[in-house]
Amino acid sequence: MSNGTPTTTARAGSKAQRSAADRTQLQTIVLRFVRHRPAMISLFVLLVIAGFAFLGPFFWTWDHRVSSDILSNQPPDSAHPLGTSSAGHDVLGQLMRGAQQTLKVALTVSLCATAFGSLWGATAGYYGGRTDAMMMRVVDVFLIVPPLVAVAALSGNTAGGTTWSTIAIIIALFSWAQIARVVRGVVLSLREQEFIEAAKASGASAPWIIIRHLLPNAAGPIIVAATLLVAIAILMEAGLSFLQFGIQLPDISLGQMIGEARTAVSTRPWTFYPPGVLLVLICLTINFIGDGLRDALDPKQTMVRR
Protein backbone atom coordinates (compact mmCIF):
# COMPACT_ATOMS: atom_id res chain seq x y z
CA MET A 1 0.00 0.00 0.00
CA SER A 2 2.77 2.40 0.94
CA ASN A 3 4.66 1.60 -2.27
CA GLY A 4 1.71 2.80 -4.35
CA THR A 5 1.34 6.12 -2.59
CA PRO A 6 4.11 8.02 -4.46
CA THR A 7 2.79 6.76 -7.78
CA THR A 8 -0.74 7.84 -6.95
CA THR A 9 0.50 11.25 -5.85
CA ALA A 10 2.55 11.63 -9.03
CA ARG A 11 -0.43 10.73 -11.18
CA ALA A 12 -2.62 13.22 -9.35
CA GLY A 13 0.00 15.92 -9.78
CA SER A 14 0.41 15.12 -13.46
CA LYS A 15 -3.37 15.24 -13.95
CA ALA A 16 -3.56 18.63 -12.20
CA GLN A 17 -0.76 19.97 -14.41
CA ARG A 18 -2.54 18.78 -17.55
CA SER A 19 -5.78 20.32 -16.36
CA ALA A 20 -4.05 23.65 -15.74
CA ALA A 21 -2.37 23.49 -19.14
CA ASP A 22 -5.70 22.85 -20.86
CA ARG A 23 -7.25 26.03 -19.45
CA THR A 24 -7.41 29.10 -21.65
CA GLN A 25 -6.11 32.42 -20.35
CA LEU A 26 -9.67 33.65 -19.83
CA GLN A 27 -10.60 30.54 -17.86
CA THR A 28 -7.55 30.99 -15.66
CA ILE A 29 -8.44 34.63 -14.97
CA VAL A 30 -12.05 33.73 -14.13
CA LEU A 31 -10.90 30.92 -11.82
CA ARG A 32 -8.54 33.25 -9.97
CA PHE A 33 -11.26 35.85 -9.58
CA VAL A 34 -13.81 33.30 -8.36
CA ARG A 35 -11.33 32.13 -5.71
CA HIS A 36 -10.96 35.70 -4.43
CA ARG A 37 -13.64 35.59 -1.73
CA PRO A 38 -13.81 39.33 -0.87
CA ALA A 39 -14.22 40.13 -4.57
CA MET A 40 -16.96 37.54 -5.07
CA ILE A 41 -18.86 38.68 -1.97
CA SER A 42 -18.50 42.29 -3.12
CA LEU A 43 -19.76 41.40 -6.61
CA PHE A 44 -22.82 39.75 -5.11
CA VAL A 45 -23.51 42.76 -2.86
CA LEU A 46 -23.07 45.17 -5.79
CA LEU A 47 -25.53 43.16 -7.89
CA VAL A 48 -28.03 43.27 -5.03
CA ILE A 49 -27.59 47.06 -4.79
CA ALA A 50 -28.01 47.41 -8.57
CA GLY A 51 -31.19 45.30 -8.41
CA PHE A 52 -32.47 47.45 -5.55
CA ALA A 53 -31.75 50.64 -7.52
CA PHE A 54 -33.04 49.66 -10.96
CA LEU A 55 -35.70 47.03 -10.22
CA GLY A 56 -36.94 48.29 -6.86
CA PRO A 57 -38.94 51.23 -8.29
CA PHE A 58 -41.10 48.77 -10.26
CA PHE A 59 -42.28 47.17 -7.02
CA TRP A 60 -42.40 50.15 -4.64
CA THR A 61 -45.45 52.41 -4.57
CA TRP A 62 -43.73 55.64 -3.53
CA ASP A 63 -41.06 57.11 -5.79
CA HIS A 64 -38.70 60.03 -5.13
CA ARG A 65 -41.21 62.65 -6.32
CA VAL A 66 -44.49 61.57 -4.71
CA SER A 67 -45.26 63.65 -1.63
CA SER A 68 -49.04 64.07 -1.61
CA ASP A 69 -50.82 62.54 1.38
CA ILE A 70 -47.47 61.88 3.08
CA LEU A 71 -46.59 63.54 6.37
CA SER A 72 -43.11 65.07 6.55
CA ASN A 73 -40.39 64.03 9.01
CA GLN A 74 -42.11 60.77 9.90
CA PRO A 75 -39.94 58.04 11.44
CA PRO A 76 -39.86 54.57 9.86
CA ASP A 77 -43.11 52.62 10.00
CA SER A 78 -44.88 49.88 8.08
CA ALA A 79 -45.97 52.24 5.30
CA HIS A 80 -42.55 53.90 4.94
CA PRO A 81 -39.78 51.55 6.18
CA LEU A 82 -37.16 54.34 6.06
CA GLY A 83 -39.47 57.17 7.08
CA THR A 84 -40.10 60.41 5.21
CA SER A 85 -38.04 63.52 4.53
CA SER A 86 -38.70 67.12 5.54
CA ALA A 87 -40.41 67.66 2.16
CA GLY A 88 -42.69 64.67 2.70
CA HIS A 89 -40.90 62.31 0.32
CA ASP A 90 -40.57 58.59 0.97
CA VAL A 91 -36.90 58.00 1.89
CA LEU A 92 -36.87 54.44 0.51
CA GLY A 93 -38.11 55.69 -2.87
CA GLN A 94 -35.50 58.45 -2.81
CA LEU A 95 -32.81 55.92 -1.92
CA MET A 96 -33.68 53.76 -4.93
CA ARG A 97 -33.61 56.73 -7.29
CA GLY A 98 -30.48 58.17 -5.73
CA ALA A 99 -28.57 54.90 -6.02
CA GLN A 100 -29.78 54.53 -9.61
CA GLN A 101 -28.56 57.98 -10.65
CA THR A 102 -25.26 57.59 -8.80
CA LEU A 103 -24.54 54.24 -10.45
CA LYS A 104 -25.46 55.59 -13.91
CA VAL A 105 -23.07 58.51 -13.48
CA ALA A 106 -20.26 56.26 -12.24
CA LEU A 107 -20.59 53.69 -15.04
CA THR A 108 -20.84 56.37 -17.74
CA VAL A 109 -17.76 58.14 -16.40
CA SER A 110 -15.82 54.88 -16.25
CA LEU A 111 -16.72 53.85 -19.81
CA CYS A 112 -16.12 57.25 -21.43
CA ALA A 113 -12.94 58.10 -19.53
CA THR A 114 -11.49 54.62 -20.00
CA ALA A 115 -12.18 54.52 -23.75
CA PHE A 116 -10.74 57.97 -24.44
CA GLY A 117 -7.85 57.69 -21.98
CA SER A 118 -6.81 54.26 -23.30
CA LEU A 119 -6.77 55.45 -26.93
CA TRP A 120 -4.88 58.62 -25.98
CA GLY A 121 -2.27 56.81 -23.90
CA ALA A 122 -1.81 53.99 -26.42
CA THR A 123 -1.34 56.46 -29.29
CA ALA A 124 1.20 58.50 -27.33
CA GLY A 125 3.13 55.40 -26.28
CA TYR A 126 3.15 53.87 -29.75
CA TYR A 127 4.40 56.90 -31.67
CA GLY A 128 6.78 58.21 -29.02
CA GLY A 129 9.06 61.18 -29.71
CA ARG A 130 7.48 64.59 -30.18
CA THR A 131 4.01 63.14 -30.52
CA ASP A 132 4.35 61.45 -27.15
CA ALA A 133 5.78 64.60 -25.55
CA MET A 134 2.99 66.85 -26.80
CA MET A 135 0.21 64.43 -25.93
CA MET A 136 1.55 63.83 -22.44
CA ARG A 137 1.82 67.56 -21.77
CA VAL A 138 -1.93 67.71 -22.36
CA VAL A 139 -2.31 64.88 -19.86
CA ASP A 140 -0.18 66.80 -17.35
CA VAL A 141 -2.47 69.83 -17.65
CA PHE A 142 -5.53 67.73 -16.79
CA LEU A 143 -3.68 66.02 -13.93
CA ILE A 144 -2.68 69.25 -12.17
CA VAL A 145 -6.17 70.80 -12.35
CA PRO A 146 -8.15 70.05 -9.13
CA PRO A 147 -10.93 67.89 -10.60
CA LEU A 148 -13.63 68.70 -8.05
CA VAL A 149 -13.11 72.45 -8.47
CA ALA A 150 -13.05 72.24 -12.28
CA VAL A 151 -16.13 70.02 -12.47
CA ALA A 152 -18.01 72.26 -10.01
CA ALA A 153 -17.16 75.34 -12.09
CA LEU A 154 -18.30 73.73 -15.34
CA SER A 155 -21.46 72.14 -13.97
CA GLY A 156 -22.46 75.36 -12.26
CA ASN A 157 -22.21 77.32 -15.52
CA THR A 158 -23.58 74.77 -17.97
CA ALA A 159 -27.18 74.71 -19.12
CA GLY A 160 -28.57 71.33 -18.17
CA GLY A 161 -25.65 70.76 -15.83
CA THR A 162 -28.00 69.31 -13.24
CA THR A 163 -28.82 66.23 -15.34
CA TRP A 164 -26.97 63.02 -14.61
CA SER A 165 -25.71 62.64 -18.19
CA THR A 166 -24.16 66.11 -18.32
CA ILE A 167 -22.59 65.64 -14.91
CA ALA A 168 -21.15 62.30 -16.06
CA ILE A 169 -19.61 63.82 -19.20
CA ILE A 170 -18.06 66.69 -17.23
CA ILE A 171 -16.57 64.32 -14.64
CA ALA A 172 -15.24 62.06 -17.42
CA LEU A 173 -13.56 65.09 -19.00
CA PHE A 174 -11.33 65.37 -15.93
CA SER A 175 -10.91 61.64 -15.22
CA TRP A 176 -9.29 60.20 -18.34
CA ALA A 177 -5.77 61.55 -17.83
CA GLN A 178 -4.72 59.04 -15.15
CA ILE A 179 -5.77 56.09 -17.31
CA ALA A 180 -3.94 57.60 -20.29
CA ARG A 181 -0.72 57.72 -18.26
CA VAL A 182 -1.13 54.10 -17.12
CA VAL A 183 -1.81 52.82 -20.65
CA ARG A 184 1.04 54.84 -22.13
CA GLY A 185 3.49 53.22 -19.68
CA VAL A 186 2.29 49.73 -20.61
CA VAL A 187 2.43 50.46 -24.35
CA LEU A 188 6.00 51.78 -24.11
CA SER A 189 7.10 48.31 -23.05
CA LEU A 190 4.81 46.46 -25.46
CA ARG A 191 5.79 48.32 -28.62
CA GLU A 192 9.26 46.75 -28.59
CA GLN A 193 7.91 43.20 -28.46
CA GLU A 194 8.38 40.84 -31.38
CA PHE A 195 4.68 40.55 -32.21
CA ILE A 196 4.51 44.32 -32.77
CA GLU A 197 7.55 44.20 -35.04
CA ALA A 198 5.93 41.33 -36.94
CA ALA A 199 2.73 43.34 -37.36
CA LYS A 200 4.71 46.30 -38.72
CA ALA A 201 6.59 44.04 -41.12
CA SER A 202 3.31 42.61 -42.44
CA GLY A 203 2.18 46.13 -43.37
CA ALA A 204 -0.38 46.70 -40.58
CA SER A 205 -1.33 50.33 -40.04
CA ALA A 206 -0.69 52.16 -36.80
CA PRO A 207 -4.40 52.36 -35.82
CA TRP A 208 -4.77 48.63 -36.47
CA ILE A 209 -1.74 47.81 -34.32
CA ILE A 210 -2.97 50.04 -31.49
CA ILE A 211 -6.52 48.68 -31.47
CA ARG A 212 -5.86 45.07 -32.44
CA HIS A 213 -2.59 44.36 -30.62
CA LEU A 214 -1.58 46.96 -28.04
CA LEU A 215 -4.87 47.67 -26.27
CA PRO A 216 -5.86 43.97 -25.86
CA ASN A 217 -2.45 43.23 -24.34
CA ALA A 218 -2.87 46.16 -21.95
CA ALA A 219 -6.36 44.99 -20.94
CA GLY A 220 -5.32 44.01 -17.42
CA PRO A 221 -4.22 47.46 -16.19
CA ILE A 222 -7.05 49.09 -18.16
CA ILE A 223 -9.76 46.97 -16.52
CA VAL A 224 -8.36 47.54 -13.03
CA ALA A 225 -8.07 51.30 -13.61
CA ALA A 226 -11.61 51.43 -15.00
CA THR A 227 -12.96 49.59 -11.96
CA LEU A 228 -11.28 51.96 -9.53
CA LEU A 229 -12.49 54.92 -11.58
CA VAL A 230 -16.07 53.88 -10.83
CA ALA A 231 -15.48 54.46 -7.12
CA ILE A 232 -13.73 57.77 -7.80
CA ALA A 233 -16.64 58.94 -9.97
CA ILE A 234 -19.15 57.98 -7.27
CA LEU A 235 -17.31 60.02 -4.64
CA MET A 236 -16.88 62.97 -7.01
CA GLU A 237 -20.56 63.00 -7.95
CA ALA A 238 -21.49 62.74 -4.27
CA GLY A 239 -19.21 65.65 -3.45
CA LEU A 240 -20.72 67.77 -6.23
CA SER A 241 -24.28 66.99 -5.16
CA PHE A 242 -23.38 67.67 -1.53
CA LEU A 243 -22.08 71.10 -2.60
CA GLN A 244 -25.24 71.58 -4.73
CA PHE A 245 -23.32 71.62 -8.02
CA GLY A 246 -24.43 68.16 -9.11
CA ILE A 247 -27.80 66.52 -9.66
CA GLN A 248 -30.53 68.72 -8.22
CA LEU A 249 -34.24 68.57 -7.51
CA PRO A 250 -36.63 67.33 -8.72
CA ASP A 251 -34.11 64.54 -9.36
CA ILE A 252 -32.06 63.04 -6.55
CA SER A 253 -28.70 61.36 -5.87
CA LEU A 254 -27.08 59.83 -2.81
CA GLY A 255 -24.80 62.83 -2.36
CA GLN A 256 -27.73 65.20 -2.52
CA MET A 257 -29.64 63.18 0.06
CA ILE A 258 -26.66 63.34 2.42
CA GLY A 259 -26.29 67.08 1.84
CA GLU A 260 -29.95 67.78 2.55
CA ALA A 261 -29.92 65.70 5.76
CA ARG A 262 -26.55 66.88 7.13
CA THR A 263 -28.26 69.11 9.70
CA ALA A 264 -30.63 66.35 10.82
CA VAL A 265 -28.16 63.65 11.86
CA SER A 266 -29.48 63.58 15.43
CA THR A 267 -33.08 64.67 14.85
CA ARG A 268 -33.90 62.65 11.71
CA PRO A 269 -31.17 59.99 11.41
CA TRP A 270 -33.29 57.91 9.00
CA THR A 271 -32.76 60.57 6.32
CA PHE A 272 -28.96 60.75 6.72
CA TYR A 273 -27.58 57.30 7.48
CA PRO A 274 -29.25 55.14 4.75
CA PRO A 275 -27.75 57.10 1.80
CA GLY A 276 -24.42 57.44 3.62
CA VAL A 277 -24.16 53.72 4.36
CA LEU A 278 -25.22 52.82 0.81
CA LEU A 279 -22.64 55.18 -0.69
CA VAL A 280 -19.83 53.74 1.45
CA LEU A 281 -20.98 50.19 0.68
CA ILE A 282 -20.93 50.78 -3.08
CA CYS A 283 -17.41 52.24 -2.95
CA LEU A 284 -16.12 49.40 -0.76
CA THR A 285 -17.55 46.68 -3.00
CA ILE A 286 -16.08 48.27 -6.12
CA ASN A 287 -12.66 48.56 -4.49
CA PHE A 288 -12.73 44.89 -3.48
CA ILE A 289 -13.80 43.90 -7.00
CA GLY A 290 -10.92 45.94 -8.41
CA ASP A 291 -8.57 44.21 -5.98
CA GLY A 292 -9.81 40.82 -7.17
CA LEU A 293 -9.43 41.77 -10.83
CA ARG A 294 -5.90 42.98 -10.22
CA ASP A 295 -4.94 39.67 -8.61
CA ALA A 296 -6.71 37.64 -11.30
CA LEU A 297 -5.06 39.51 -14.17
CA ASP A 298 -1.58 39.38 -12.64
CA PRO A 299 0.26 36.44 -14.26
CA LYS A 300 2.68 36.32 -11.32
CA GLN A 301 -0.13 36.00 -8.78
CA THR A 302 -0.09 32.58 -7.13
CA MET A 303 -1.64 33.21 -3.73
CA VAL A 304 -5.39 33.17 -3.25
CA ARG A 305 -6.93 35.58 -0.74
CA ARG A 306 -9.53 34.21 1.63
Side-chain angles (χ1 to χ4, degrees):
M1 180 71 66
S2 59
N3 293 333
T5 301
T7 304
T8 304
T9 304
R11 289 177 179 174
S14 176
K15 184 177 180 180
Q17 291 177 356
R18 289 197 302 270
S19 177
D22 291 339
R23 295 194 199 108
T24 64
Q25 184 178 8
L26 179 60
Q27 290 173 332
T28 302
I29 291 172
V30 171
L31 182 61
R32 287 174 179 168
F33 182 80
V34 169
R35 289 177 176 175
H36 197 290
R37 291 185 181 178
M40 289 301 298
I41 294 173
S42 298
L43 180 60
F44 173 76
V45 173
L46 186 61
L47 290 176
V48 171
I49 293 173
F52 167 79
F54 290 96
L55 300 179
F58 291 101
F59 303 95
W60 187 242
T61 303
W62 307 101
D63 66 18
H64 68 289
R65 295 165 296 185
V66 176
S67 59
S68 60
D69 300 328
I70 301 180
L71 297 176
S72 62
N73 297 329
Q74 293 299 303
D77 55 26
S78 58
H80 307 285
L82 294 180
T84 62
S85 67
S86 59
H89 296 111
D90 179 76
V91 174
L92 182 58
Q94 284 191 317
L95 198 64
M96 292 177 183
R97 179 66 174 185
Q100 183 183 127
Q101 298 301 78
T102 297
L103 287 174
K104 287 196 295 187
V105 169
L107 292 176
T108 302
V109 169
S110 181
L111 290 174
C112 294
T114 300
F116 184 77
S118 298
L119 287 172
W120 189 278
T123 302
Y126 176 77
Y127 283 105
R130 291 184 177 180
T131 301
D132 179 35
M134 289 188 295
M135 294 181 73
M136 295 314 294
R137 294 299 76 76
V138 175
V139 170
D140 292 338
V141 170
F142 279 88
L143 287 175
I144 63 175
V145 174
L148 190 60
V149 175
V151 174
L154 284 177
S155 63
N157 293 279
T158 302
T162 57
T163 63
W164 75 266
S165 57
T166 307
I167 291 295
I169 293 173
I170 295 174
I171 295 176
L173 181 63
F174 291 91
S175 303
W176 62 272
Q178 188 63 44
I179 291 183
R181 184 174 287 277
V182 171
V183 174
R184 179 239 185 196
V186 175
V187 169
L188 284 176
S189 61
L190 288 175
R191 69 176 185 175
E192 305 298 333
Q193 300 293 324
E194 293 181 356
F195 69 94
I196 298 298
E197 296 297 330
K200 291 179 180 178
S202 65
S205 63
W208 175 262
I209 293 175
I210 291 172
I211 296 174
R212 180 65 179 83
H213 297 288
L214 291 175
L215 287 178
N217 282 279
I222 291 174
I223 292 174
V224 173
T227 305
L228 298 178
L229 184 58
V230 174
I232 294 173
I234 288 173
L235 294 176
M236 190 175 295
E237 186 279 327
L240 286 171
S241 296
F242 183 85
L243 297 172
Q244 299 183 350
F245 287 107
I247 299 173
Q248 297 180 8
L249 296 175
D251 212 337
I252 196 78
S253 72
L254 295 179
Q256 187 191 61
M257 291 180 67
I258 296 171
E260 289 182 348
R262 67 184 183 277
T263 59
V265 177
S266 58
T267 57
R268 301 191 308 275
W270 60 86
T271 62
F272 178 82
Y273 288 107
V277 171
L278 188 59
L279 187 68
V280 171
L281 192 60
I282 292 173
C283 292
L284 282 176
T285 56
I286 290 173
N287 280 327
F288 279 123
I289 292 172
D291 191 29
L293 287 172
R294 183 193 63 212
D295 291 348
L297 293 167
D298 184 2
K300 299 179 181 178
Q301 183 69 28
T302 57
M303 296 181 63
V304 177
R305 297 191 180 187
R306 300 184 181 277

